[in-house]
Amino acid sequence: MELRCPGGEELRALYAAAFPDEDLTGLVAALAADPAVRHVCDGALEAHAALTPCRVGDAPVWLLGPVAVAPERQGRGRGRVLVTAALAAVRPDPVCVLGDPGFYGRFGFTREDAVAPPYALPEEWAPAWQAIRTGALSGKLRVPAVWRDSALWR
């Protein structure tokens, strides 16, 4: 896994294939252009994860996502390797994610109630807001501009 990935059309194509019902083009392009965001990918760009630096109070916290694996490569352990590498890249800092509890629970993520997402989530999404933390944190996750579109949280 690499910590700097190519951006542009390859990255947008990966997310379009992995999430055909969601338009993540603007988000992915903004994350690729942000030098503070850490990227983890495989060499063929068939899997990618972004880690955005955020804060809760004065504490650094990372936001994991989006994460994508090309549809033809899913179910082969690529996502597991990708998320493991992403977490290792920012250890020991806390990491939050909005995602499938069944998948992210394998890595130690648990439902997060003390750190609030930047926008209210639909009630049915509450179990999907998760974290791996060290120490006691509480408050609202402060995100950079790219994540301040409330539609990303609905």
Side-chain angles (χ1 to χ4, degrees):
M1 291 289 158
E2 302 171 24
L3 287 178
R4 186 47 57 188
C5 304
E9 288 304 313
E10 289 177 290
L11 198 55
R12 285 190 286 279
L14 170 65
Y15 278 90
F19 300 101
D21 297 332
E22 295 181 49
D23 182 7
L24 297 175
T25 304
L27 175 64
V28 170
L31 292 172
D34 187 336
V37 174
R38 292 191 185 178
H39 299 271
V40 180
C41 64
D42 64 358
L45 199 57
E46 294 173 337
H48 172 268
L51 289 150
T52 305
C54 302
R55 301 203 72 78
V56 173
D58 292 331
V61 178
W62 294 90
L63 179 61
L64 174 61
V67 175
V69 176
E72 65 275 10
R73 301 289 185 222
Q74 292 176 4
R76 299 180 184 179
R78 277 236 166 101
R80 178 185 47 78
V81 171
L82 183 70
V83 172
T84 299
L87 294 174
V90 296
R91 188 170 286 126
D93 290 342
V95 179
C96 291
V97 69
L98 180 61
D100 176 14
F103 178 74
Y104 289 102
R106 298 181 219 168
F107 305 97
F109 282 93
T110 58
R111 182 171 172 160
E112 181 55 57
D113 294 318
V115 173
Y119 295 94
L121 299 175
E123 188 174 321
E124 64 271 15
W125 287 17
W129 181 243
Q130 305 159 79
I132 292 178
R133 320 196 267 146
T134 56
L137 285 176
S138 65
K140 185 175 266 193
L141 185 70
R142 291 192 335 250
V143 295
V146 66
W147 285 105
R148 291 188 196 139
D149 177 355
S150 64
L152 296 170
W153 302 90
R154 288 187 257 130

